[in-house]
Amino acid sequence: PESVQFEALRHIPGFENCKPFRPGYAIEYDYFPPTQLGYDLETKAVCGLYFAGQINGTTGYEEAACQGLIAGINAHKKVRAEASFVLSRTDAYIGVLIDDLITKGTEEPYRMFTSRAEYRLLLRQDNADLRLTPMAHELGLVSDKQMARAEQKLEGTNSLQFDFENTSITPEAANPMLKLVDSAPIQQKTRLTKLLARPQVSIRALILASQISESEIGSSLNAEILDQVEIAIKYGGYIDKEKELAGRLTNIDHIPLKQDFDYSKLNALSNEAREKLLAVQPKSLGQAGRISGITPADISYLMVYLGR
């Protein structure tokens, strides 16, 4: 209320005689607990009723838009008696947002942060078209031309990566370039992938040094494909580890947790995590992961602890 704002301002030293020109404002809204929803955003209580946006306890334009997209798709599928369309946590940030809402609920306005996703290396902006265009095409949301473009990008990426994995460069060709970027010289022929894994070496510099022509590695050397291959090779080890972790986390619902376990002794967990695990005493690692406030890092630590 304006009266409260003005009185509060005048309690600040130096503002005792201030005359506010315009009050500040805040937005308040009611919401329905999103735990009543399915992955398709249909309410469990009322068949055919879909919720999206602030009514689910989220805040932010993008958060509302992505829910509206999923709810709209599934409302359309509902009237056509088709199977629901669902994105998982490994498919897209939309999948992370919806899974968080319907399994954990929310006690404050929910925003989508990258830190909420376990698979951030897989859910990159540069591969969003490769992950989601096939799904969008099947739904009729993108044209055949757009689908063909995504297929060409994937084919070009796979082809160029294959060539890099099977092509070597001589010291005579590589060392001048390596000297320019302050990277150690090589003494014998070396695979392009091994050199590209070095932080200082870029894919474009390596192509120039190798004197590889487009006719030798294909005609689709556009910027998107170059970036895709460079990311796949430079971060290949990390990406493979994350894929392995993703496969393990899909099965954590089958990993039991001891009842009445004293989580307070696990100092590596945050105070919030220990308090909530003690209060809920989840039956499985999957259930623990769905408790509001439990982070992917907490689950990873519990997996390591159980492995001991």
Side-chain angles (χ1 to χ4, degrees), residues 141-161:
L141 296 178
V142 302
S143 65
D144 292 341
K145 183 178 180 180
Q146 289 172 290
M147 184 63 207
R149 185 179 183 280
E151 290 174 339
Q152 290 171 0
K153 177 180 175 181
L154 179 60
E155 182 180 347
T157 299
N158 291 337
S159 176
L160 182 58
Q161 186 169 349

Side-chain angles (χ1 to χ4, degrees), residues 176-229:
M177 179 271 295
L178 294 175
K179 184 177 180 180
L180 285 174
V181 297
D182 196 26
S183 186
I186 59 175
Q187 305 302 322
Q188 59 187 11
K189 291 184 69 174
T190 304
R191 290 287 174 88
L192 294 180
T193 48
K194 189 172 182 179
L195 286 184
L196 187 54
R198 297 185 180 187
Q200 310 95 325
V201 179
S202 72
I203 190 170
R204 290 163 176 81
L206 197 52
I207 287 176
L208 288 174
S210 305
Q211 298 181 341
I212 302 175
S213 66
E214 289 193 13
S215 61
E216 290 178 294
I217 59 175
S219 59
S220 55
L221 281 183
N222 63 50
E224 288 185 342
I225 290 175
L226 290 175
D227 290 342
Q228 279 286 294
V229 173

